[in-house]
Amino acid sequence: MIGLLKTNDTLSLWDCISLDAVQKGRTIHEDIAQDLLKRGLIEDEVPHYSISLSIAKNTHQLPSYTKTKGLDKEKLRQMILQFLQNAGDEGAKRDSIYEYLKDVLPANKTEEQQLRYVGRLLVELNEEKLIDRIGLKWILTDNNRSV
């Protein structure tokens, strides 16, 4: 991050130290976080901030940024539908779907947060009548079997 000081004269040394702390998963003071959020230097929510896309690009950290953010919601939804297509009539439990997705979920979230996120995606797909729940298993709806 210190190298960013040389190329960006709008950042203070304290900004760079704060960004470095965010990148390393350390807690920063809420006032500092709010300032960095307003300036577009960090993203996400308390306490799971991450550096912003622009900072990741400027510091050549796009691979780790992308891993931290995970795949976007629509790609995850498509992966779930494909997984359930492959599972066929047997369907799949949330834990199996999570195992399939865990490497592409946001790395800055705990396992519990990732599981809840997968659960919310399943509920959304169910509310959209793309999948059904039978007991503890999820399956594609009859009219959605040819994803």
Side-chain angles (χ1 to χ4, degrees):
M1 288 295 164
I2 302 301
L4 193 56
L5 262 178
K6 294 177 185 174
T7 60
N8 187 334
D9 59 5
T10 63
L11 294 179
S12 69
L13 177 59
W14 187 248
D15 289 338
C16 290
I17 291 169
S18 299
L19 289 168
D20 186 57
V22 166
Q23 181 185 12
K24 291 177 179 171
R26 295 190 182 128
T27 303
I28 60 173
H29 191 275
E30 191 54 33
D31 292 341
I32 295 167
Q34 289 305 313
D35 176 57
L36 295 175
L37 280 167
K38 286 180 196 167
R39 293 167 47 204
L41 300 174
I42 63 173
E43 303 172 341
D44 294 327
E45 300 171 1
V46 176
H48 303 287
Y49 296 115
S50 63
I51 61 172
S52 68
L53 177 58
S54 63
I55 295 295
K57 285 180 179 179
N58 287 333
T59 57
H60 309 289
Q61 298 179 58
L62 202 49
S64 64
Y65 169 86
T66 303
K67 176 69 176 160
T68 298
K69 297 300 282 186
L71 290 181
D72 70 34
K73 185 177 179 179
E74 190 52 41
K75 286 185 178 71
L76 291 170
R77 288 166 47 96
Q78 289 304 315
M79 288 179 72
I80 290 170
L81 292 172
Q82 182 62 56
F83 186 79
L84 293 176
Q85 173 75 25
N86 293 345
D89 292 336
E90 287 187 32
K93 292 183 178 181
R94 181 190 70 166
D95 289 346
S96 296
I97 296 167
Y98 168 74
E99 281 299 315
Y100 169 62
L101 295 175
K102 72 179 180 181
D103 292 333
V104 294
L105 291 169
N108 64 341
K109 305 289 185 215
T110 66
E111 182 176 344
E112 182 181 327
Q113 290 170 319
Q114 290 177 342
L115 279 164
R116 278 197 309 259
Y117 184 58
V118 170
R120 284 193 303 272
L121 290 173
L122 291 168
V123 168
E124 284 178 17
L125 290 167
N126 178 254
E127 289 172 350
E128 295 170 19
K129 310 257 187 265
L130 296 172
I131 65 174
D132 284 324
R133 183 174 180 175
I134 299 175
L136 295 175
K137 292 189 176 183
W138 297 92
I139 62 167
L140 290 178
T141 56
D142 288 336
N143 61 352
N144 198 31
R145 299 272 167 132
S146 59
V147 171

